[in-house]
Amino acid sequence: MKSDSSEDAETRLKRLRMRSWRRGMKEMDIVLGPFADRCLADLPVVTVTLYDRLLGENDQDIYAWITGAAKPPAEFAALLDTIVAAVRPAAR
């Protein structure tokens, strides 16, 4: 789904949060939902645009990239590192 050029920032963030929580795989809901809730509003617009593109990828691929089972495309590597760092439980 492409972002409508007339979509304001608040509407875009709401749409991305909804798409983050309503994935095809529950594992992706658990990772992307909290990330979107906590971090999206603070990211630069260019990173939010990249995140929007990431959400267009297949859940099984995103899961493999996040778990390290597959190497992510270079364009998403830094964003995926950010997502993993944001949702990783703090060491005790």
Side-chain angles (χ1 to χ4, degrees):
M1 171 191 271
K2 285 202 162 218
S3 174
D4 182 347
S5 61
S6 66
E7 183 178 51
D8 65 45
E10 183 179 343
T11 301
R12 183 181 198 193
L13 290 175
K14 285 180 182 179
R15 176 178 57 80
L16 293 175
R17 280 194 296 269
M18 177 69 79
R19 288 186 67 207
S20 298
W21 277 107
R22 305 261 190 308
R23 305 298 301 169
M25 286 177 63
K26 188 64 173 174
E27 295 86 349
M28 292 290 69
D29 295 349
I30 292 168
V31 172
L32 298 177
F35 171 77
D37 287 349
R38 284 186 242 151
C39 302
L40 273 185
D42 297 326
L43 294 176
V45 172
V46 67
T47 305
V48 173
T49 298
L50 183 61
Y51 184 77
D52 197 355
R53 288 200 350 248
L54 177 70
L55 293 181
E57 297 292 324
N58 184 291
D59 277 352
Q60 288 79 12
D61 292 335
I62 299 171
Y63 183 77
W65 300 334
I66 285 177
T67 62
K71 185 176 179 185
E75 69 177 319
F76 295 130
L79 175 58
L80 291 165
D81 288 344
T82 299
I83 292 168
V84 169
V87 299
R88 179 178 293 135
R92 293 181 186 218

